[in-house]
Amino acid sequence: MTILQELLKELRLAAILANYQRIAKNDVEKIGYLQDLASIEVARRREGSVRARIAAARFPVVKTIDTFDFSAQSDLPKLKILEILDCQFIADRRNVVFLGPPGVGKTHLATAIGVAACTRGYRVAFMTAADLLMTLMAEKREHRLKQRMKLLDRLDLLIIDELGYIPFDREATDLLFQVISHRYELRSLILTTNLDFPEWTSVFPDAGAASAVVDRIVHHASVFELNGSSYRLATKKSSSASGKRAKSP
Ligand code: ADP
Ligand code: MG
């Protein structure tokens, strides 16, 4: 199949595909003209669907890796992160975990990977752990948990942000465990947390539940530890410092 034929097929222009050669009578210029137009239309539609996927993912703020300052995270393996951004981990049904204190860029990195996944055509959703569990508990009360789980299962990538900020009761833990088991070895997950794995017992009602969850998440996962001080505070300090300098004569 020629490039033009592939473009027309992607645009579902079956009648044009069937007739353009007859009408163009092998005129290279006419065919080139049609191919230019078709590729413009394909590009525009692809862009539109990427935008739609990014909107559907509900990132708190859309961020990309271009604005991530790797020099602030010197221990972070930059090449490995760039490799994750090519999204092979989604095809391989692997997980990614970002671990570290507040303000070090966990949400930024998780978002950047999520946006990269959207541009590659994957279905993505971003939720905080608290929002996810609140939604699930509400759906459970309204006997709609099954439908919600099906929707979650359809996502190629689920990003669960901020696990560990609030402790979970037994019901919430069971729900989280269900989400994670459903995805296990079938679909990918990105998780950000302020807790080191041994500390997960503090979020879950018992050590057994904590290790069951941790086990399934980290079995096929790339785990990145971020450390250092909050980027938010660092940039705040340096901008107020430069503000002072600006005022002094
Ligand atoms: P966390 O999720 O770890 O608490 P965030 O990703 O929300 O941290 O980062 C806090 C703020 O600082 C965000 O605005 C984020 O874009 C920015 N930030 C953090 N680390 C970096 C970095 N290394 N380069 C650029 N911006 C960063
Ligand atoms: Mg965060």
Side-chain angles (χ1 to χ4, degrees):
M1 209 186 267
T2 66
I3 292 173
L4 174 56
Q5 285 166 341
E6 268 169 23
L7 293 170
L8 294 174
K9 203 174 156 213
E10 179 169 344
L11 294 169
R12 295 201 181 87
L13 296 172
I16 295 180
L17 180 60
N19 291 289
Y20 80 92
Q21 276 166 322
R22 183 177 53 80
I23 293 170
K25 297 194 181 84
N26 283 332
D27 182 335
V28 184
E29 246 176 69
K30 280 184 184 157
I31 290 176
Y33 169 73
L34 183 58
Q35 180 167 323
D36 286 350
L37 285 177
S39 59
I40 290 171
E41 182 65 24
V42 163
R44 197 195 58 94
R45 287 197 199 175
R46 282 185 192 159
E47 228 172 78
S49 55
V50 168
R51 260 201 304 275
R53 275 191 294 271
I54 289 175
R58 293 173 166 270
F59 298 107
V61 184
V62 175
K63 290 194 178 173
T64 59
I65 203 69
D66 316 341
T67 55
F68 190 80
D69 173 9
F70 279 93
S71 71
Q73 281 297 328
S74 49
D75 291 341
L76 193 67
K78 181 176 177 181
L79 285 179
K80 281 216 177 111
I81 296 286
L82 297 180
E83 208 180 296
I84 298 278
L85 281 155
D86 75 15
C87 294
Q88 182 60 37
F89 79 99
I90 299 177
D92 295 343
R93 291 140 169 76
R94 292 175 54 83
N95 301 328
V96 177
V97 177
F98 292 109
L99 221 140
V104 291
K106 302 183 298 295
T107 301
H108 189 140
L109 288 170
T111 302
I113 297 167
V115 169
C118 290
T119 63
R120 283 168 190 267
Y122 289 116
R123 282 155 303 184
V124 179
F126 181 108
M127 286 169 228
T128 63
D131 280 347
L132 171 65
L133 289 171
M134 241 154 40
T135 308
L136 291 177
M137 285 197 278
E139 306 271 14
K140 189 180 165 191
R141 273 192 289 280
E142 288 166 30
H143 308 287
R144 287 201 312 244
L145 189 59
K146 249 200 177 144
Q147 288 100 305
R148 169 62 56 171
M149 286 291 184
K150 268 192 194 147
L151 287 178
L152 288 175
D153 287 348
R154 263 189 239 144
L155 298 167
D156 300 300
L157 173 63
L158 174 63
I159 302 174
I160 304 180
D161 197 29
E162 295 187 355
L163 191 89
Y165 285 95
I166 42 168
F168 296 146
D169 61 13
R170 171 61 65 188
E171 186 193 10
T173 304
D174 285 346
L175 290 171
L176 183 71
F177 186 69
Q178 271 188 55
V179 172
I180 287 162
S181 325
H182 263 233
R183 302 190 76 74
Y184 182 62
E185 295 186 331
L186 292 173
R187 299 273 190 211
S188 293
L189 194 74
I190 296 181
L191 200 105
T192 84
T193 175
N194 57 328
L195 300 174
D196 216 338
F197 295 120
E199 297 169 325
W200 282 36
T201 42
S202 66
V203 190
F204 295 101
D206 60 71
S211 72
V213 170
V214 171
D215 237 49
R216 275 163 186 73
I217 292 172
V218 301
H219 183 200
H220 304 289
S222 306
V223 180
F224 297 98
E225 256 189 88
L226 289 90
N227 42 43
S229 49
S230 163
Y231 195 85
R232 262 187 292 252
L233 291 177
T235 47
K236 200 162 180 196
K237 269 182 208 147
S238 69
S239 70
S240 64
S242 59
K244 259 182 216 149
R245 266 200 301 279
K247 268 180 223 147
S248 59

mmCIF file of all heavy atoms in Angstrom, residues 63 67-69 72-73 101-108 165 231-232, ligand 1:
data_model
loop_
_atom_site.group_PDB
_atom_site.id
_atom_site.type_symbol
_atom_site.label_atom_id
_atom_site.label_comp_id
_atom_site.label_asym_id
_atom_site.label_seq_id
_atom_site.Cartn_x
_atom_site.Cartn_y
_atom_site.Cartn_z
ATOM 1 N N LYS A 63 2.008 18.871 32.251
ATOM 2 C CA LYS A 63 3.443 19.178 32.258
ATOM 3 C C LYS A 63 4.180 18.163 31.408
ATOM 4 O O LYS A 63 3.762 17.015 31.310
ATOM 5 C CB LYS A 63 3.987 19.125 33.689
ATOM 6 C CG LYS A 63 3.476 20.278 34.508
ATOM 7 C CD LYS A 63 4.216 20.480 35.785
ATOM 8 C CE LYS A 63 3.599 21.702 36.461
ATOM 9 N NZ LYS A 63 4.104 21.947 37.787
ATOM 10 N N THR A 67 10.256 20.730 30.779
ATOM 11 C CA THR A 67 10.376 21.714 31.857
ATOM 12 C C THR A 67 10.894 21.077 33.146
ATOM 13 O O THR A 67 10.932 21.725 34.183
ATOM 14 C CB THR A 67 9.010 22.379 32.141
ATOM 15 O OG1 THR A 67 8.062 21.349 32.406
ATOM 16 C CG2 THR A 67 8.543 23.209 30.956
ATOM 17 N N PHE A 68 11.281 19.795 33.065
ATOM 18 C CA PHE A 68 11.828 19.160 34.267
ATOM 19 C C PHE A 68 13.334 19.391 34.332
ATOM 20 O O PHE A 68 14.064 19.095 33.387
ATOM 21 C CB PHE A 68 11.519 17.659 34.286
ATOM 22 C CG PHE A 68 11.837 17.015 35.602
ATOM 23 C CD1 PHE A 68 10.962 17.134 36.666
ATOM 24 C CD2 PHE A 68 13.029 16.322 35.787
ATOM 25 C CE1 PHE A 68 11.257 16.563 37.900
ATOM 26 C CE2 PHE A 68 13.326 15.747 37.010
ATOM 27 C CZ PHE A 68 12.440 15.873 38.067
ATOM 28 N N ASP A 69 13.789 19.918 35.453
ATOM 29 C CA ASP A 69 15.193 20.266 35.627
ATOM 30 C C ASP A 69 15.908 19.082 36.294
ATOM 31 O O ASP A 69 15.805 18.883 37.501
ATOM 32 C CB ASP A 69 15.223 21.536 36.506
ATOM 33 C CG ASP A 69 16.623 21.925 36.920
ATOM 34 O OD1 ASP A 69 17.583 21.326 36.394
ATOM 35 O OD2 ASP A 69 16.739 22.825 37.760
ATOM 36 N N ALA A 72 18.306 19.309 39.346
ATOM 37 C CA ALA A 72 17.812 19.382 40.721
ATOM 38 C C ALA A 72 17.675 17.986 41.338
ATOM 39 O O ALA A 72 17.455 17.850 42.538
ATOM 40 C CB ALA A 72 16.467 20.102 40.751
ATOM 41 N N GLN A 73 17.775 16.934 40.495
ATOM 42 C CA GLN A 73 17.653 15.546 40.966
ATOM 43 C C GLN A 73 18.841 14.766 40.435
ATOM 44 O O GLN A 73 18.693 13.937 39.530
ATOM 45 C CB GLN A 73 16.344 14.936 40.449
ATOM 46 C CG GLN A 73 15.105 15.333 41.220
ATOM 47 C CD GLN A 73 15.151 14.851 42.661
ATOM 48 O OE1 GLN A 73 15.711 13.815 42.969
ATOM 49 N NE2 GLN A 73 14.568 15.628 43.559
ATOM 50 N N PRO A 101 9.933 12.559 49.229
ATOM 51 C CA PRO A 101 9.233 13.565 50.036
ATOM 52 C C PRO A 101 8.472 14.566 49.158
ATOM 53 O O PRO A 101 8.634 14.548 47.938
ATOM 54 C CB PRO A 101 10.376 14.262 50.785
ATOM 55 C CG PRO A 101 11.586 14.045 49.938
ATOM 56 C CD PRO A 101 11.394 12.723 49.262
ATOM 57 N N PRO A 102 7.660 15.432 49.749
ATOM 58 C CA PRO A 102 6.870 16.389 48.968
ATOM 59 C C PRO A 102 7.736 17.400 48.213
ATOM 60 O O PRO A 102 8.814 17.775 48.689
ATOM 61 C CB PRO A 102 6.037 17.130 50.024
ATOM 62 C CG PRO A 102 6.095 16.308 51.249
ATOM 63 C CD PRO A 102 7.360 15.524 51.190
ATOM 64 N N GLY A 103 7.276 17.776 47.036
ATOM 65 C CA GLY A 103 7.887 18.887 46.304
ATOM 66 C C GLY A 103 9.093 18.530 45.458
ATOM 67 O O GLY A 103 9.736 19.404 44.891
ATOM 68 N N VAL A 104 9.412 17.236 45.323
ATOM 69 C CA VAL A 104 10.626 16.866 44.595
ATOM 70 C C VAL A 104 10.368 16.519 43.120
ATOM 71 O O VAL A 104 11.304 16.180 42.396
ATOM 72 C CB VAL A 104 11.372 15.696 45.280
ATOM 73 C CG1 VAL A 104 11.972 16.153 46.597
ATOM 74 C CG2 VAL A 104 10.454 14.509 45.484
ATOM 75 N N GLY A 105 9.107 16.597 42.691
ATOM 76 C CA GLY A 105 8.829 16.399 41.263
ATOM 77 C C GLY A 105 8.183 15.078 40.895
ATOM 78 O O GLY A 105 8.138 14.725 39.723
ATOM 79 N N LYS A 106 7.617 14.367 41.877
ATOM 80 C CA LYS A 106 6.979 13.077 41.583
ATOM 81 C C LYS A 106 5.764 13.263 40.665
ATOM 82 O O LYS A 106 5.617 12.557 39.666
ATOM 83 C CB LYS A 106 6.527 12.376 42.882
ATOM 84 C CG LYS A 106 7.655 12.130 43.872
ATOM 85 C CD LYS A 106 7.175 11.382 45.102
ATOM 86 C CE LYS A 106 6.135 12.116 45.923
ATOM 87 N NZ LYS A 106 6.637 13.374 46.536
ATOM 88 N N THR A 107 4.914 14.217 41.021
ATOM 89 C CA THR A 107 3.711 14.453 40.212
ATOM 90 C C THR A 107 4.093 14.978 38.829
ATOM 91 O O THR A 107 3.490 14.583 37.820
ATOM 92 C CB THR A 107 2.784 15.450 40.934
ATOM 93 O OG1 THR A 107 2.445 14.899 42.209
ATOM 94 C CG2 THR A 107 1.511 15.701 40.151
ATOM 95 N N HIS A 108 5.102 15.826 38.791
ATOM 96 C CA HIS A 108 5.579 16.360 37.509
ATOM 97 C C HIS A 108 6.011 15.215 36.585
ATOM 98 O O HIS A 108 5.585 15.147 35.424
ATOM 99 C CB HIS A 108 6.741 17.325 37.784
ATOM 100 C CG HIS A 108 7.188 18.102 36.579
ATOM 101 N ND1 HIS A 108 7.531 19.421 36.645
ATOM 102 C CD2 HIS A 108 7.366 17.737 35.280
ATOM 103 C CE1 HIS A 108 7.893 19.845 35.430
ATOM 104 N NE2 HIS A 108 7.808 18.829 34.596
ATOM 105 N N TYR A 165 -0.614 9.744 51.833
ATOM 106 C CA TYR A 165 -0.894 10.973 52.564
ATOM 107 C C TYR A 165 -2.022 10.792 53.573
ATOM 108 O O TYR A 165 -2.061 11.452 54.594
ATOM 109 C CB TYR A 165 -1.187 12.138 51.608
ATOM 110 C CG TYR A 165 0.072 12.658 50.955
ATOM 111 C CD1 TYR A 165 0.468 12.210 49.705
ATOM 112 C CD2 TYR A 165 0.887 13.557 51.622
ATOM 113 C CE1 TYR A 165 1.638 12.664 49.121
ATOM 114 C CE2 TYR A 165 2.062 14.015 51.052
ATOM 115 C CZ TYR A 165 2.436 13.567 49.804
ATOM 116 O OH TYR A 165 3.594 14.013 49.243
ATOM 117 N N TYR A 231 11.449 21.377 45.472
ATOM 118 C CA TYR A 231 11.751 22.281 44.364
ATOM 119 C C TYR A 231 10.939 23.555 44.504
ATOM 120 O O TYR A 231 11.395 24.642 44.210
ATOM 121 C CB TYR A 231 11.419 21.579 43.052
ATOM 122 C CG TYR A 231 11.994 22.247 41.826
ATOM 123 C CD1 TYR A 231 13.298 21.980 41.418
ATOM 124 C CD2 TYR A 231 11.236 23.127 41.066
ATOM 125 C CE1 TYR A 231 13.826 22.570 40.289
ATOM 126 C CE2 TYR A 231 11.760 23.727 39.930
ATOM 127 C CZ TYR A 231 13.058 23.444 39.543
ATOM 128 O OH TYR A 231 13.570 24.031 38.425
ATOM 129 N N ARG A 232 9.709 23.384 44.979
ATOM 130 C CA ARG A 232 8.822 24.535 45.217
ATOM 131 C C ARG A 232 9.502 25.535 46.133
ATOM 132 O O ARG A 232 9.580 26.719 45.838
ATOM 133 C CB ARG A 232 7.535 24.058 45.891
ATOM 134 C CG ARG A 232 6.377 23.861 44.942
ATOM 135 C CD ARG A 232 5.114 23.555 45.710
ATOM 136 N NE ARG A 232 5.160 22.249 46.363
ATOM 137 C CZ ARG A 232 4.468 21.191 45.964
ATOM 138 N NH1 ARG A 232 3.671 21.274 44.945
ATOM 139 N NH2 ARG A 232 4.553 20.054 46.596
HETATM 140 P P1 ADP B 1 5.737 16.156 44.364
HETATM 141 O O1 ADP B 1 4.673 15.536 43.571
HETATM 142 O O2 ADP B 1 6.971 15.322 44.519
HETATM 143 O O3 ADP B 1 5.257 16.700 45.679
HETATM 144 P P2 ADP B 1 5.641 18.138 42.277
HETATM 145 O O4 ADP B 1 5.891 17.321 41.058
HETATM 146 O O5 ADP B 1 4.242 18.568 42.520
HETATM 147 O O6 ADP B 1 6.252 17.440 43.565
HETATM 148 O O7 ADP B 1 6.598 19.412 42.223
HETATM 149 C C1 ADP B 1 6.295 20.620 42.902
HETATM 150 C C2 ADP B 1 6.470 21.782 41.929
HETATM 151 O O8 ADP B 1 7.840 21.928 41.615
HETATM 152 C C3 ADP B 1 5.758 21.588 40.610
HETATM 153 O O9 ADP B 1 5.355 22.825 40.122
HETATM 154 C C4 ADP B 1 6.838 20.981 39.717
HETATM 155 O O10 ADP B 1 6.609 21.269 38.359
HETATM 156 C C5 ADP B 1 8.080 21.663 40.244
HETATM 157 N N1 ADP B 1 9.251 20.804 40.190
HETATM 158 C C6 ADP B 1 9.634 19.861 41.084
HETATM 159 N N2 ADP B 1 10.801 19.310 40.740
HETATM 160 C C7 ADP B 1 11.161 19.898 39.590
HETATM 161 C C8 ADP B 1 12.302 19.769 38.724
HETATM 162 N N3 ADP B 1 13.301 18.920 38.996
HETATM 163 N N4 ADP B 1 12.333 20.547 37.617
HETATM 164 C C9 ADP B 1 11.344 21.430 37.353
HETATM 165 N N5 ADP B 1 10.259 21.594 38.125
HETATM 166 C C10 ADP B 1 10.162 20.855 39.234
#
